[in-house]
């Protein structure tokens, strides 16, 4: 079974050269707050690698394929720009890379639906990582509902950013009410939803957990887990979520080990993969989470 990192971010060279300058010029202030921060230690919150550097990190970590996730941009033009970049990446490395498309419902139904159909024709395998709460449109927005319906018809899973409500505060953090995700999944049963960052542990929530566990179209990824839940027992989490519902994702190039622990000297992606493999999971569980579930959900098998 191939190993798949289902949650990776990548940006074009013109952004990588000067991220803060680029963000100001393109009106992407929220992205800048989250992605250009520097920790108290002086280490950057994340890096800005090239495609070749991503492929090298995958080789070091033993990852066969990475799924490029878009960002929840504030502007439609930025979404289209990243989608075109991802299309070129996948075309150049079809054996190693897959991509989800980003969009902004505020651009209007015609523009957004047209973009969804275009990315489907280009071979994209999903939509996301999106965040209506961060992008400033309602989960009841008419265009957004149309996107979710079309995603179900086209078999494009939708990855959504979920913020831990009880976690620490940080610049740019925006609340993502857990009930919204349950309502979306119930309203669009033909659409597969992947809730990033363990879905803020939605299946364990006292108010919405029981409903979430009963919804067969809700999945979760592990993106940024070492930062958000550094003391979580992976085996216990999978027991609560169901191993068949969890997709492994790192959130590369986010720096997951700001103090250097767990890295093994090989960087973020390898550090997380190694830690996951060392968590004492059964062979079948490990194979499912590290690749089998993603392959099924995004249509690789």
């Amino acid at each position: 079974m191939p190993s798949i990192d289902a949650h990776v971010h990548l940006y074009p060279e013109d952004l990588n050269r000067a991220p803060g300058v680029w963000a100001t010029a393109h009106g992407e202030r929220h992205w800048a707050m989250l992605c250009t921060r520097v920790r108290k230690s002086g280490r950057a919150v994340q890096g800005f690698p090239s495609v070749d550097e991503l492929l090298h990190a995958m080789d070091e970590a033993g990852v066969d394929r990475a799924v490029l996730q878009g960002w929840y941009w504030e502007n439609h033009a930025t979404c289209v720009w990243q989608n075109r970049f991802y299309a070129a990446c996948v075309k150049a490395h079809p054996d190693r890379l897959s991509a989800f498309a980003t969009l902004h419902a505020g651009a209007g139904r015609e523009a957004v639906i047209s973009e969804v159909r275009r990315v489907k024709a280009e071979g994209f395998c999903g939509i996301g990582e999106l965040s209506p709460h961060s992008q400033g449109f309602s989960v009841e927005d008419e265009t957004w509902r149309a996107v979710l319906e079309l995603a179900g018809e086209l078999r494009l899973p939708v990855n959504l950013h979920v913020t831990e409500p009880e976690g620490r505060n940080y610049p740019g953090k925006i609340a993502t009410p857990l009930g919204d995700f349950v309502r979306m999944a119930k309203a669009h049963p033909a659409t597969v939803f992947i809730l990033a960052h363990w879905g803020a542990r939605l299946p364990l929530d006292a108010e919405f957990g029981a409903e979430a566990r009963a919804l067969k179209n809700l999945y979760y990824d592990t993106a940024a887990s070492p930062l958000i839940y550094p003391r979580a027992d992976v085996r216990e989490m999978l027991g609560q979520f169901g191993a068949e519902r969890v997709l492994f994702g790192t959130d590369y190039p986010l720096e997951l080990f700001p103090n250097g622990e767990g890295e093994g000297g090989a960087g973020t992606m390898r550090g997380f993969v190694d830690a996951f493999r060392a968590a004492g999971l059964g062979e079948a569980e490990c194979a499912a989470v590290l690749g089998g579930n993603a392959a099924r959900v995004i249509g690789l098998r």
Side-chain angles (χ1 to χ4, degrees):
M1 180 65 65
S3 175
I4 300 173
D5 186 338
H7 194 129
V8 164
H9 294 283
L10 208 60
Y11 307 102
E13 185 180 350
D14 52 341
L15 180 154
N16 290 345
R17 281 196 300 267
V21 174
W22 177 91
T24 299
H26 292 82
E28 297 291 350
R29 291 174 294 177
H30 185 247
W31 176 87
M33 275 194 290
L34 291 173
C35 295
T36 65
R37 291 162 44 219
V38 177
R39 303 191 193 282
K40 292 179 181 179
S41 64
R43 298 181 68 166
V45 166
Q46 72 163 62
F48 295 94
S50 66
V51 178
D52 287 343
E53 288 171 319
L54 166 61
L55 295 171
H56 179 69
M58 291 166 61
D59 290 340
E60 282 195 323
V63 170
D64 299 300
R65 180 176 294 273
V67 181
L68 305 174
Q69 293 288 340
W71 188 265
Y72 31 102
W73 301 110
E74 297 173 73
N75 300 288
H76 174 66
T78 315
C79 296
V80 174
W81 168 81
Q82 187 170 46
N83 291 343
R84 301 288 73 73
F85 170 63
Y86 277 179
C89 291
V90 172
K91 184 177 181 179
H93 304 282
D95 58 328
R96 304 298 304 277
L97 303 177
S98 298
F100 276 35
T102 181
L103 56 86
H104 195 301
R109 184 180 181 121
E110 182 178 353
V112 174
I113 293 299
S114 176
E115 183 66 11
V116 172
R117 293 194 181 280
R118 174 160 71 166
V119 297
K120 173 64 175 180
E122 290 176 328
F124 281 58
C125 60
I127 297 171
E129 177 188 10
L130 300 181
S131 176
H133 308 91
S134 303
Q135 293 175 280
F137 58 85
S138 169
V139 296
E140 302 299 331
D141 178 271
E142 181 181 346
T143 297
W144 177 239
R145 293 203 307 267
V147 166
L148 295 180
E149 281 298 304
L150 182 58
E153 293 172 18
L154 298 179
R155 297 186 179 180
L156 294 171
V158 179
N159 185 296
L160 298 175
H161 174 77
V162 190
T163 301
E164 172 60 62
E166 297 179 2
R168 63 181 178 81
N169 289 320
Y170 51 83
K173 181 177 180 178
I174 291 177
T176 59
L178 296 181
D180 286 354
F181 301 100
V182 171
R183 284 190 288 275
M184 282 188 279
K186 290 174 69 174
H188 304 279
T191 303
V192 170
F193 294 86
I194 305 168
L195 304 187
H197 319 299
W198 291 100
R201 297 181 290 188
L202 172 58
L204 311 183
D205 184 72
E207 183 175 0
F208 299 106
E211 283 186 281
R213 291 192 298 272
L215 289 166
K216 303 302 183 184
N217 59 332
L218 275 181
Y219 289 75
Y220 307 88
D221 78 27
T222 68
S225 188
L227 275 178
I228 305 170
Y229 307 116
R231 289 174 293 279
D233 186 321
V234 171
R235 293 167 301 178
E236 182 179 352
M237 294 277 273
L238 291 180
Q240 297 288 339
F241 281 64
E244 73 283 356
R245 299 285 195 91
V246 179
L247 282 62
F248 180 79
T250 58
D251 220 350
Y252 175 95
L254 185 67
E255 175 56 78
L256 299 178
F257 303 103
N259 299 317
E261 73 279 11
E263 286 188 89
T268 296
M269 185 179 287
R270 178 176 169 182
F272 192 5
V273 171
D274 287 350
F276 195 89
R277 290 188 182 280
L281 303 178
E283 184 177 343
E285 281 186 318
C286 197
V289 177
L290 283 175
N293 295 339
R296 184 181 73 254
V297 169
I298 67 177
L300 292 178
R301 64 177 178 89

